[in-house]
Amino acid sequence: MSIFSSDVFKGRHALVTGATGGIGRETAKVLAAMGANVTITGRKEQVLSDLKKEIENESPNAKVLMYVADLTDAIDREKLVLVAEETFGTISLLVNSAGMTGGGILEELTQEELERVMHLNHTVPILLTQRIYKNMKKDKKGSIVNVSSLSGVRGTYGGTAYTGSKFALNAFTQSFALEAIEHNVRVNGVCPGYVDTEMGRNGIRSKGEREGRSFEEQFKIESEKLPTGRITNTDEVANTIAYLLSDAAENIIGENINLSGGSVMR
């Protein structure tokens, strides 16, 4: 459901990482519908191509650049920014949505897996933001949203790697927000619980397997234990991101907004 004007981001350039995932995909669609020129990136070329066509069909005036990149590679990150800014100008809206699950219980966790999860979920958003922030700071205009997780606000079983990376990402959001606001750049984050995406469904499936339940049984349990009675949809996350990026949220900085269905209150 669209709740925003079609010209909120007119003339502005948004970069959405992890656009091949459910949250990144929906966010790119919402930002394009709000008038932004959107650069979408991810590792799966066909998925990006399909998304580009979908955005252009839904928003005929949209300008979309797709760029296949492995964000863990420094050269790929630099090329992504250069091509994006050559195409649409300075990036003033950044959504760090790329991420991964991984890890397991401590006694089975390897150093390689721990570092892999931490690198993509924490280090990569910092390094990409650092590169893009240079021009935001120069222009004294920008807004950044990091896509975190409820796993970044409380521990989870077998979550040493993933949960640790999201706690770290939330800390980055808060710390960098204090630096960036001095230059009129706002930084915030969103922390969804289970979202109805492939990643979310896989998480529920794994939990069900661990507890001897089918996916359907576990999905029902996870939904019904929330005060709202259901898990979050991608459009709800995307709309929250869009709000935080917009000037309507201009006095909100360093916040990590929970989308928990009422399960996490503080």
Side-chain angles (χ1 to χ4, degrees):
M1 179 181 68
S2 176
I3 61 172
F4 302 106
S5 166
S6 62
D7 62 359
V8 172
F9 295 132
K10 186 176 181 180
R12 298 187 67 179
H13 181 188
L15 170 62
V16 180
T17 72
T20 54
I23 292 174
R25 174 180 175 276
E26 192 65 32
T27 300
K29 290 167 60 179
V30 169
L31 297 184
M34 295 170 70
N37 299 326
V38 181
T39 296
I40 53 175
T41 189
R43 300 186 188 189
K44 301 174 183 176
E45 183 173 5
Q46 187 59 55
V47 178
L48 285 179
S49 179
D50 291 344
L51 174 58
K52 184 176 188 295
K53 292 174 184 175
E54 186 175 354
I55 292 173
E56 291 169 342
N57 286 336
E58 293 182 3
S59 303
N61 295 323
K63 295 181 180 179
V64 184
L65 168 69
M66 57 168 280
Y67 191 92
V68 180
D70 176 357
L71 295 181
T72 64
D73 184 280
I75 294 175
D76 264 16
R77 287 197 304 272
E78 180 64 20
K79 287 181 178 178
L80 165 65
V81 175
L82 289 175
V83 171
E85 296 199 329
E86 284 174 3
T87 304
F88 292 141
T90 300
I91 297 164
S92 63
L93 305 169
L94 172 62
V95 181
N96 285 310
S97 184
M100 64 177 292
T101 57
I105 61 174
L106 185 64
E107 59 193 300
E108 297 174 0
L109 185 62
T110 65
Q111 180 176 341
E112 180 183 14
E113 179 72 354
L114 178 63
E115 292 175 350
R116 188 171 72 98
V117 173
M118 184 63 75
H119 186 64
L120 180 59
N121 290 356
H122 177 240
T123 306
V124 165
I126 291 176
L127 295 176
L128 181 62
T129 300
Q130 183 183 56
R131 173 63 178 82
I132 292 170
Y133 176 61
K134 292 178 182 179
N135 285 335
M136 287 185 175
K137 180 178 177 180
K138 187 188 306 178
D139 292 344
K140 291 196 172 297
K141 184 176 184 179
S143 189
I144 299 165
V145 174
N146 296 320
V147 178
S148 184
S149 168
L150 286 183
S151 294
V153 299
R154 81 283 192 267
T156 59
Y157 182 92
T160 295
Y162 179 72
T163 299
S165 71
K166 293 300 186 178
F167 264 85
L169 183 63
N170 288 353
F172 165 57
T173 295
Q174 293 182 349
S175 298
F176 182 49
L178 296 174
E179 302 172 24
I181 197 59
E182 294 179 354
H183 305 283
N184 198 38
V185 175
R186 293 187 305 105
V187 184
N188 289 288
V190 292
C191 296
Y194 283 125
V195 181
D196 194 9
T197 63
E198 182 180 355
M199 180 183 289
R201 290 188 290 271
N202 285 340
I204 292 172
R205 184 174 291 106
S206 295
K207 188 172 182 179
E209 289 172 355
R210 189 172 72 243
E211 298 183 5
R213 301 189 186 101
S214 69
F215 167 77
E216 290 75 17
E217 290 172 326
Q218 194 64 42
F219 189 93
K220 188 171 185 290
I221 289 171
E222 296 302 326
S223 299
E224 292 181 348
K225 75 181 183 182
L226 299 176
T228 59
R230 64 174 182 83
I231 66 174
T232 303
N233 296 321
T234 55
D235 60 332
E236 293 169 322
V237 184
N239 285 336
T240 303
I241 292 170
Y243 167 69
L244 290 172
L245 289 173
S246 77
D247 290 342
E250 65 181 356
N251 205 35
I252 300 178
I253 66 159
E255 295 290 349
N256 288 298
I257 306 298
N258 295 339
L259 289 90
S260 72
S263 65
V264 177
M265 300 185 187
R266 54 178 180 168

